[in-house]
């Protein structure tokens, strides 16, 4: 039922940054229940957004669509100027870092930490390619930033909630993403880990061109990084 996006001529300003996420009249449903309705939104390269709203308002659903998990029912949706299609979905996902325990807990049970980390490099939920030793080395080194080097071969389900969150953060950052989607990124972390992650994300926001979307019930945690906000209520954007 998805309509293809219409091609429109646009007069670009000289210094205008490219649009990396574009939604026009997006409608998404699960079964017969609408989860997102008539969403219109544009996000440019390097922008940092807070996405907020009550529980069940559609925040995680919105981010999961951007991450390439789910197909819209109608409307126009582009990431990096492309519509998601079977032939490009993995290529686009590799450019997006995605952190969400509420999403990944549905899929990751018996997977090892190493497989989860390396799956991000292929834009999939599982490892889809021959393992490169350089990637394995990079994944091991990335875990060291969270003091989890000894968990490389551990089962994800055997980790604490805080450790699982750190694995998902490592997975996302290992990709060096152009878009970073953070669904309650501090969930499950102790106070010291929260501070370290906040500092890490602040540095990414300040020193890279990454586009960052934060979902948080505590926006003050990222106040210095947030530039714009989008509020959802019952699946609709509230201006």
């Amino acid at each position: 039922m998805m309509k293809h996006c219409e091609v429109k001529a646009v007069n670009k300003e000289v210094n205008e940054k490219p649009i990396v996420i574009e939604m026009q009249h997006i409608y998404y449903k699960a079964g017969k229940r609408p989860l997102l309705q008539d969403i219109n939104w544009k996000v440019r390269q390097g922008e940092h957004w807070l996405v907020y709203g009550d529980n069940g308002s559609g925040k995680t659903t919105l981010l999961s669509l951007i991450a390439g998990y789910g197909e819209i029912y109608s409307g126009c949706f582009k990431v990096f100027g492309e519509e998601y299609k079977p032939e490009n979905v993995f290529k686009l996902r590799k450019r997006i870092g995605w952190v969400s325990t509420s999403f990944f807990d549905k899929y990751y049970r018996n997977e090892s930490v190493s497989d989860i980390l390396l799956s991000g490099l292929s834009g999939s939920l599982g490892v889809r390619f021959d393992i490169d030793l350089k990637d394995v080395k990079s994944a091991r080194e990335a875990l060291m930033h969270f003091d989890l080097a000894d968990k490389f071969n551990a089962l994800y389900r055997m980790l604490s909630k805080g450790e699982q969150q750190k694995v998902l953060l490592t997975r996302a950052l290992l990709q060096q993403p152009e878009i970073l989607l953070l669904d309650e990124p501090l969930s499950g972390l102790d106070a010291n880990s929260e501070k370290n992650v906040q500092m890490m994300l602040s540095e990414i926001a300040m020193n890279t061109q990454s586009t960052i979307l934060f979902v948080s019930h505590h926006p003050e945690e990222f106040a210095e990084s947030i530039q714009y906000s989008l509020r959802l209520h019952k699946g609709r954007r509230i201006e």
Side-chain angles (χ1 to χ4, degrees), residues 118 121 129 131-140 174:
L118 294 169
L121 299 176
F129 59 96
I131 302 300
D132 190 308
L133 291 179
K134 290 188 296 183
D135 292 331
V136 174
K137 181 180 178 182
S138 296
R140 285 184 179 276
L174 187 61

Side-chain angles (χ1 to χ4, degrees), residues 67-69 84 88-98 103-104 107-108 111 114-131 168 171-172 175:
Y69 296 97
Y84 274 116
N88 71 4
V89 62
F90 295 111
K91 179 191 73 173
L92 294 176
R93 282 180 187 165
K94 286 191 288 187
R95 302 170 67 182
I96 300 172
W98 173 214
F103 177 84
F104 284 107
Y107 298 95
Y108 289 149
E111 289 79 6
S114 59
D115 282 352
I116 290 172
L117 295 181
L118 294 169
S119 71
L121 299 176
S122 64
S124 62
L125 292 174
V127 179
R128 293 173 44 87
F129 59 96
D130 292 334
I131 302 300
L168 295 181
R171 179 186 186 272
Q175 299 169 238

Side-chain angles (χ1 to χ4, degrees), residues 17-101:
K17 291 185 177 180
I19 295 170
V20 293
I21 301 168
E22 183 173 10
M23 296 183 170
Q24 298 176 21
H25 304 294
I26 292 299
Y27 183 84
Y28 177 78
K29 64 180 183 176
K32 294 184 178 180
R33 185 165 66 98
L35 300 181
L36 295 172
Q37 302 181 69
D38 200 31
I39 301 295
N40 293 282
W41 191 26
K42 290 182 181 179
V43 178
R44 295 187 179 276
Q45 180 188 57
E47 292 182 347
H48 308 142
W49 285 75
L50 171 70
V51 179
Y52 71 106
D54 297 334
N55 290 335
S57 60
K59 304 183 297 296
T60 299
T61 299
L62 182 70
L63 265 62
S64 65
L65 285 178
I66 296 170
Y69 296 97
E71 184 176 348
I72 63 173
Y73 184 75
S74 63
C76 173
F77 171 40
K78 291 183 179 181
V79 176
F80 303 116
E82 298 184 49
E83 298 176 68
Y84 274 116
K85 298 176 182 178
E87 58 267 28
N88 71 4
V89 62
F90 295 111
K91 179 191 73 173
L92 294 176
R93 282 180 187 165
K94 286 191 288 187
R95 302 170 67 182
I96 300 172
W98 173 214
V99 178
S100 175
T101 53

